[in-house]
Amino acid sequence: MIRAGRRRTAGRGKPIAGRGKRIAAFASLPVLPLAWFVALQEHPPWMPAAYLAYLLIVIVVPGTMFWRRLTGGVGWFSADIVLGTAFGLAVEALVYPIGMLFKMPFAALLMPALALGVWRALPRLKLPERPTPWWAIAGAMVAVGVAAAWFVRVGSRLIPLNGSQALRPDSDAPHSLALAGEVTHHFPPRVPYADGDWLTSHWTAYDHIASAHWITSVPLDVLTHRMVPFAWILLTVLGAAAVGMMLTGRAVAAPIAAGLVVAAGDLVAWPWAVSDRVFADGPFSLGQLTNPPQAFSTVLLLPLIAVTTLLLRRQSARTRGELFRLFVAAGVLIAALALTKATALPVYATGLAVAWIYLTVRAGRLNLRALVLGVSVATAYALTFFFVLRGAASSVRFDPGATFDSLADRMGGGSAVPVIAAVVVVGWVMPVVGALLIKPRLAHDPMLVFLVGGFVAALLGASLLADRGDTQLFFIRTGFMFGVLLATWGLGSLERRQYWIAAVALVIGVAAIYWGRYRSDKSCTSASCFGQGLVVALVIAAIGIGVFGLVLRGSRRTWAVIAVGALVGTTVSPTVASVRKFAGPPLTSYESIAPGGIEAARFIRRNSGSDDRIATNVHCHQARASHCQIGSYWIAGYAERHVLVEGWAYQARVDDTYPAGVQGPYADQERLQLNDEVFSNPTRQVIETLRTKYDVQWLLLDDRVSAPPKNLDKLTELRFQLGSVRVYQIYPPPPETPFPTRTPSPTGSPGPTPTSPTSPTNSQSPGQTQPTQPFPTGSLPTASVPTASLPTGSAPTQQPTSPGPTSP
C-alpha cells in the first residue's frame, strides 16, 4: 500500500514538473520579439510591428501548416515551426511572381486560405512528437539574443540609411535596393539602371522584400537593409538548431547548432585576409547583409536538408502518398533555391550525388529517392538557365588557386600562395572535424555522406573556380552551414558527462586563436610573417589539449572530445573580430550619392508612374573621378524607376554584352551619347527623341558631374532642386494654338481663366493638392517654371514633399 501510494505521488509530481519546464521554456520565448524590437529600435515602432505581423500571418502560420501536412513533421513541434516558416518563404517566393503576372502584387495574402485548403484536403497524419526541453529552447534564445546584440552593435551600422553617411555606401547596397524596386513594380524584371534589358540574374530573394513592401508599406530601403536581413539571420540561427535536432535525434543539438552559427567561423579572418571582408563566411559577414540572395539561400537550404533527411534515411515505412508529398515539399524548395542563388544548388547537388552513389553501391540497386531529387535539381537548373538567365554563359572560370592569388599579391608576391592557401583551407576545414565524434557508423546514415560531400564540393568550388568579383567565395559561404551541422552532429553525440569536457576544450581553442591572431601580430615586423599567428595558435591549442588530456587521464574517446572541442573553438574569433573591426560602416571617402540625391529620387517616385523612365548624367560611382567606376545604382534604387543609362557594371549576369569587361564601354553608344547630350547641349529635337523613342519623362542632373545647361530649364520644367541635384520633367511640346480665341462676353464679364495642361496641379484629381514640408535650414530648394510655356498668372511653384513612407 505504501509503495502504491508513493507511485501515485510520483505520478502526480511528474506532470507538475513537466508543467514547470514548459513554463520555463515559454518564459524564454519573449526573447525573440524583444530581440526583434531592440535590434530595430532606430525605426518607428510601427515598421517592425507591421513586418512582424506580416511574417506571422502570411508566412509563419501558413508555412507551418504546409510543412506539417506535406512532410509529417520532424519530431519536434518547435522545429516544425522554424522549418515551416522557411518553407512559407519559399512558397511566397513562387506565389509573388505569379501574382505579378496578373497585376496582383498582394497575392501573398492568399497564402493563409491556400494553406487552410491544403490542411483540410490532405489526410491528417499521426505525428510522433517529443517535447522540446526548456533548456534547449532557452539555449537557442541565448543565441538569438547574441545575434540581436551583434546586429545593434555592428549589423545595423554597416549600411547607413540616414544622415551624411548614407551618401557614402559602396556599390552593393544601392544595387540590391535597385533590384528590390524593380521586382516591386515590374515582372518579368528588367535591368533598372541601364537600358531596361531583361534581368539575367537570380532575383527571387527580392520577392519577399517586394511583397512585404506592398502589404506593410514599410519603405524598401528599411526592408532591404534592415528588417529582412535581420529576420533571415534569426531564421538561420533557429533553422540550424531545428536541423541539428533532426540529424542527431537529441534536443541538446539545438543550443549547440545555434551557438555555432552565432560564434563559429573559420581561421582565415587574419588582419591580412579580412581587409576586403570577403573571407568572413558566417551569417554575420558583410556578404549576408549586402547580398540578399546569399542570405535567403541559406534560409531555404536548411528545410531542404531536413526534407532530404526524411527521404534518404528510411526510418519508417511510408506510403506512396506520403512520399509524393515529401517530393512536392522538396520540389518547392528546390525551385525557390534555383531562382535564388547560383552557388547554393551545386553544393547541395554534389552532396546528393555522393549520397546516391553510396546508397546505390551499398544496396546493390538504384536508390530511386535520391535519383528523383537529383532529377528535380537538374530540371530546376535547366529551367532557370533558359527562362530566367536566358541562356547567358557564366563568367565563372576554372582557375585553380586564383582565390589565393589576390591575397598573395597583397602580401608580397606569388611565393606566398602555397602558405596562404594552406592557412585558408585549414580554416575552412576546421569546423568539419566535429564529424569525428559522430557515433553511428558510416553505413547507418547517408546524411553524413551527404554533408561531407557537400562541404568538400564547396571547398573545391571556392579553390578551383574564379570570377572577376570573387563570386566563387559564395560556395564556401554555403558550405559553412554544412560544417556547422557536422560539428553539431558530433558534439550532439556526446554523453552527458562529457559536455563539461567539451566546454573546457572549446575555451582552450578560443584562447589559442585569440592569442595567435591578436597578440603574435604585434611581433610581426614584415609582411612575410603573416603565417606566424596560425602557428602560434595551433601550438597553444596543442599544448592545451595535451595538458588537459593528461590531467583527466581519460579514454581515447575523451582525448577525441578534447581535441575536437579545441579545434572547433579555434573558429570562434571571426565574430569577435567583426565586433572590433567592423563597428563602423565601410564607407567610401567620397559621396557616391549626390547631396540631395536621395530626396530627389524619392520626389520622382512620389510624382511618377511605375513605368516612367529617368535620364541622368550620373554614371560613375565617384563624381569627376580620374578613373570612372561604372557602378552607380542609387537613382534606380531610391526612385524605384527605370533609368535609361546610369551604371552598367552589373548590367548583365555575365560580360557577354560587354567584351571589355564589367568596367568596359556601354554597349549602346548611340543611346549613351543621346542621354549625355541632353545634359551638355539640349535641344528640342534631343528632348523629343528621348521622350518619344525612349519614353523618358524625367531628367536628374548632378551638378558635380556637369553644370546645368542654360537653356535646359526653358525646354523642360524644373520640379525639384536640393543640394547638388536638379530634377526636370519633360512634357509634350505645346500645340501651335494652345488656346482657342474666345468671343468677348456680351455682359463684359471675363470668361474662365485658361489653365495649362502641363501644370502639375492641374493633373491631380479634384480636391487633391500637393503636400509640402519645410526644408532643412540653409538648403531651401528652388523651383522655376519657364514663363514662356505657361499663361500669365498660372505658374505654380513646386516644392519637394516629405521623403517618408508612402503606399507602393
Side-chain angles (χ1 to χ4, degrees):
M1 294 293 292
I2 295 176
R3 291 178 181 175
R6 287 178 179 174
R7 283 196 297 269
R8 285 194 296 268
T9 302
R12 296 190 193 101
K14 287 182 180 179
I16 296 176
R19 286 194 297 270
K21 293 178 179 179
R22 285 195 293 271
I23 292 173
F26 284 118
S28 65
L29 290 179
V31 172
L32 197 57
L34 181 63
W36 174 258
F37 284 98
V38 169
L40 300 171
Q41 58 185 303
E42 63 175 314
H43 306 291
W46 74 267
M47 291 186 184
Y51 179 80
L52 186 60
Y54 170 79
L55 199 67
L56 291 175
I57 297 173
V58 179
I59 304 298
V60 177
V61 175
T64 303
M65 295 172 69
F66 283 130
W67 177 261
R68 300 266 290 181
R69 270 294 187 259
L70 292 175
T71 66
V74 298
W76 287 272
F77 181 69
S78 57
D80 286 337
I81 294 177
V82 176
L83 297 175
T85 301
F87 188 81
L89 289 171
V91 175
E92 178 203 39
L94 300 180
V95 167
Y96 177 79
I98 297 175
M100 286 295 289
L101 284 176
F102 296 97
K103 308 299 182 182
M104 296 171 54
F106 300 95
L109 292 177
L110 299 176
M111 286 181 56
L114 181 61
L116 182 62
V118 171
W119 183 266
R120 294 181 62 87
L122 296 179
R124 176 175 296 183
L125 301 174
K126 291 184 178 180
L127 305 176
E129 294 179 359
R130 289 171 282 178
T132 306
W134 68 268
W135 46 265
I137 297 178
M141 290 301 106
V142 169
V144 167
V146 173
W150 176 90
F151 196 81
V152 172
R153 181 69 175 86
V154 181
S156 61
R157 301 185 182 186
L158 291 178
I159 305 176
L161 298 182
N162 302 298
S164 59
Q165 291 183 334
L167 302 179
R168 297 191 285 138
D170 60 7
S171 60
D172 288 340
H175 180 256
S176 296
L177 185 60
L179 295 184
E182 175 63 14
V183 174
T184 298
H185 297 287
H186 303 97
F187 194 85
R190 294 178 175 270
V191 178
Y193 39 79
D195 71 35
D197 284 346
W198 295 113
L199 183 63
T200 56
S201 63
H202 298 78
W203 39 259
T204 305
Y206 302 100
D207 289 353
H208 173 66
I209 298 174
S211 180
H213 175 59
W214 277 108
I215 295 174
T216 66
S217 295
V218 176
L220 271 183
D221 57 341
V222 176
L223 288 171
T224 306
H225 302 316
R226 289 292 186 274
M227 294 187 183
V228 172
F230 182 54
W232 287 346
I233 286 176
L234 295 183
L235 275 177
T236 301
V237 173
L238 297 176
V243 177
M245 293 169 64
M246 182 181 183
L247 290 173
T248 62
R250 302 180 66 182
V252 71
I256 293 175
L260 288 177
V261 170
V262 169
D266 49 56
L267 285 176
V268 299
W270 304 94
W272 48 266
V274 81
S275 59
D276 290 334
R277 294 174 299 276
V278 295
F279 288 100
D281 303 318
F284 297 98
S285 65
L286 183 65
Q288 295 288 117
L289 298 175
T290 60
N291 194 292
Q294 173 61 31
F296 192 48
S297 67
T298 305
V299 172
L300 297 180
L301 183 65
L302 290 167
L304 181 57
I305 293 175
V307 175
T308 305
T309 304
L310 293 173
L311 283 169
L312 298 187
R313 273 185 169 173
R314 293 179 177 267
Q315 291 180 338
S316 60
R318 295 184 181 273
T319 64
R320 292 183 178 179
E322 293 172 351
L323 285 176
F324 177 76
R325 280 178 253 169
L326 282 173
F327 282 122
V328 169
V332 170
L333 292 167
I334 289 172
L337 198 57
L339 295 169
T340 300
K341 189 67 178 175
T343 55
L345 266 188
V347 176
Y348 169 83
T350 304
L352 184 64
V354 174
W356 175 72
I357 294 173
Y358 168 74
L359 289 172
T360 299
V361 171
R362 192 186 71 177
R365 56 185 176 85
L366 291 178
N367 186 277
L368 295 180
R369 297 185 182 185
L371 183 61
V372 171
L373 287 176
V375 171
S376 301
V377 171
T379 303
Y381 233 100
L383 293 176
T384 302
F385 178 74
F386 289 108
F387 294 100
V388 177
L389 305 182
R390 300 180 182 271
S394 176
S395 61
V396 177
R397 66 187 186 278
F398 182 76
D399 191 356
T403 300
F404 316 113
D405 285 339
S406 59
L407 289 176
D409 293 338
R410 291 204 299 265
M411 298 308 300
S415 60
V417 173
V419 178
I420 288 179
V423 173
V424 173
V425 172
V426 167
W428 281 340
V429 173
M430 198 63 69
V432 187
V433 299
L436 299 175
L437 297 179
I438 297 177
K439 282 185 176 180
R441 297 179 59 186
L442 188 64
H444 291 169
D445 202 325
M447 291 308 299
L448 180 58
V449 181
F450 167 82
L451 293 175
V452 172
F455 185 85
V456 172
L459 191 150
L460 292 177
S463 302
L464 301 180
L465 302 177
D467 181 69
R468 188 184 299 271
D470 286 333
T471 58
Q472 74 276 5
L473 291 172
F474 288 103
F475 284 110
I476 201 64
R477 287 173 181 163
T478 300
F480 170 85
M481 194 53 59
F482 285 71
V484 165
L485 293 177
L486 285 169
T488 300
W489 197 347
L491 294 175
S493 301
L494 301 179
E495 299 176 5
R496 181 175 300 180
R497 60 184 177 83
Q498 293 175 328
Y499 279 108
W500 75 269
I501 301 175
V504 174
L506 287 170
V507 173
I508 293 173
V510 172
I513 198 65
Y514 180 86
W515 186 270
R517 181 174 293 146
Y518 300 112
R519 294 290 180 256
S520 65
D521 192 51
K522 296 181 179 180
S523 63
C524 251
T525 58
S526 65
S528 61
C529 64
F530 56 84
Q532 175 182 323
L534 177 62
V535 176
V536 172
L538 294 181
V539 168
I540 293 175
I543 293 174
I545 292 171
V547 172
F548 189 40
L550 290 176
V551 170
L552 292 182
R553 296 181 181 180
S555 61
R556 292 182 180 179
R557 178 73 175 176
T558 301
W559 277 94
V561 171
I562 296 173
V564 171
L567 292 177
V568 171
T570 58
T571 70
V572 75
S573 288
T575 302
V576 178
S578 68
V579 173
R580 287 174 170 243
K581 190 173 181 64
F582 306 137
L587 302 177
T588 59
S589 59
Y590 54 88
E591 292 177 334
S592 57
I593 298 178
I598 295 178
E599 292 81 0
R602 287 171 171 167
F603 171 81
I604 296 176
R605 182 192 66 198
R606 291 190 300 270
N607 294 275
S608 64
S610 60
D611 294 328
D612 283 12
R613 185 170 292 182
I614 307 168
T616 181
N617 65 338
V618 178
H619 305 306
C620 306
H621 195 255
Q622 181 180 3
R624 296 182 180 178
S626 57
H627 173 70
C628 181
Q629 179 186 354
I630 313 298
S632 178
Y633 318 106
W634 60 268
I635 299 175
Y638 285 102
E640 301 174 25
R641 301 294 182 260
H642 284 166
V643 182
L644 185 64
V645 184
E646 187 181 358
W648 58 85
Y650 296 122
Q651 191 274 344
R653 172 176 171 266
V654 293
D655 302 336
D656 55 348
T657 309
Y658 301 99
V662 293
Q663 293 296 119
Y666 187 58
D668 192 338
Q669 286 296 310
E670 180 182 355
R671 179 179 299 186
L672 179 61
Q673 182 178 0
L674 181 67
N675 177 94
D676 293 343
E677 188 176 355
V678 76
F679 298 102
S680 59
N681 185 27
T683 62
R684 172 57 61 186
Q685 181 180 0
V686 170
I687 292 176
E688 273 301 290
T689 303
L690 281 177
R691 188 184 68 85
T692 57
K693 183 177 180 180
Y694 296 109
D695 199 26
V696 173
Q697 296 88 15
W698 299 88
L699 304 178
L700 189 149
L701 182 144
D702 182 1
D703 59 23
R704 301 180 307 167
V705 179
S706 61
K710 295 181 179 180
N711 59 336
L712 185 58
D713 57 352
K714 298 179 181 180
L715 299 172
T716 61
E717 181 183 355
L718 178 62
R719 295 290 306 277
F720 182 95
Q721 182 176 353
L722 182 64
S724 64
V725 177
R726 300 186 181 198
V727 174
Y728 302 85
Q729 188 168 4
I730 299 175
Y731 294 108
E736 295 181 0
T737 56
F739 304 106
T741 303
R742 304 187 62 86
T743 304
S745 172
T747 61
S749 60
T753 302
T755 57
S756 168
T758 64
S759 175
T761 57
N762 293 331
S763 64
Q764 300 172 10
S765 59
Q768 184 179 1
T769 60
Q770 286 283 0
T772 61
Q773 176 177 330
F775 297 97
T777 303
S779 60
L780 180 65
T782 60
S784 61
V785 179
T787 57
S789 61
L790 292 176
T792 303
S794 61
T797 59
Q798 176 64 51
Q799 292 184 340
T801 55
S802 169
T806 59
S807 58

